[in-house]
Amino acid sequence: MYNNCMGIRRALALIITFMALCMPSWAIKIGLQTRVNRTFVGASTKAEVINCDTNKLIFVMEKMKGYEMKPYRGVIAIKVDGQWNKMNANKIVIKPEETGFVSVKKKWYRGTFKIINDGDALTIINDIPLEKYLRGVVPSEMPSSWEHEAHKAQAIAARSYAIANRGKRAK
């Protein structure tokens, strides 16, 4: 009987490991700004600005330097060293290096950012893997001095809430 229980435990461990490796990696999108006439962004590391339609590199943002962006005749314009430059794209992605953060609304965020010119205004969306989102949101929701088990419970609640509300405000 003991050998049979050990075999079942090993089989369960294998199944759980397989499921964890094969499950989809959830990502969430968070609208940080909607219909604004300008925005200010920066990155803690170098960050690529990529045209969403062509997937081509448009610009490389310097680390720890701020940039102003605004809608301009159907595309997005960026202010670099006091000069406005058209990016010839109405949708861009800002992708920092792996360990980098992006600053929007005077706060630092993980993940990549999509900026869309939807006519005459910009919408800024944070696209982030769920686990990276939780690394940022859980510490901001409760003090670090609280018990470890309370942080685990908060992570479960935040994960459940994020998954349950995915796509709720897709517009």
Side-chain angles (χ1 to χ4, degrees), residues 22-38:
C22 295
M23 298 255 321
S25 175
W26 293 94
I28 59 174
K29 294 177 184 353
I30 303 162
L32 295 178
Q33 293 180 305
T34 54
R35 308 260 331 129
V36 295
N37 62 4
R38 67 183 181 153

Side-chain angles (χ1 to χ4, degrees), residues 68-122:
E68 184 178 355
M69 295 185 186
K70 68 179 184 180
Y72 178 77
R73 297 185 180 175
V75 296
I76 299 168
I78 184 170
K79 194 174 192 178
V80 181
D81 298 326
Q83 287 283 97
W84 283 103
N85 302 286
K86 285 191 324 178
M87 288 197 266
N88 293 323
N90 65 342
K91 290 181 275 198
I92 61 169
V93 170
I94 299 174
K95 183 179 178 185
E97 293 176 345
E98 184 64 32
T99 58
F101 294 83
V102 173
S103 172
V104 177
K105 296 178 10 176
K106 299 181 181 181
K107 292 183 182 179
W108 292 101
Y109 296 91
R110 291 175 167 87
T112 60
F113 287 77
K114 189 173 194 178
I115 300 180
I116 303 166
N117 177 349
D118 54 7
D120 58 350
L122 301 178

Side-chain angles (χ1 to χ4, degrees), residues 134-153:
L134 293 173
R135 275 188 250 151
V137 77
V138 171
S140 72
E141 291 178 340
M142 60 193 316
S144 60
S145 61
W146 286 16
E147 293 293 327
H148 185 64
E149 294 301 315
H151 285 102
K152 286 182 183 179

Side-chain angles (χ1 to χ4, degrees), residues 8-29:
I8 292 172
R9 285 185 182 163
R10 284 189 188 134
L12 282 173
L14 262 167
I15 290 169
I16 291 170
T17 302
F18 178 75
M19 287 175 63
L21 293 173
C22 295
M23 298 255 321
S25 175
W26 293 94
I28 59 174
K29 294 177 184 353

Side-chain angles (χ1 to χ4, degrees), residues 42-48 60-65 67 94-102 108:
S44 64
T45 61
K46 285 185 179 179
E48 295 180 335
V60 177
M61 294 171 57
E62 294 178 38
K63 70 178 183 177
M64 301 307 290
K65 184 174 179 180
Y67 298 90
I94 299 174
K95 183 179 178 185
E97 293 176 345
E98 184 64 32
T99 58
F101 294 83
V102 173
W108 292 101

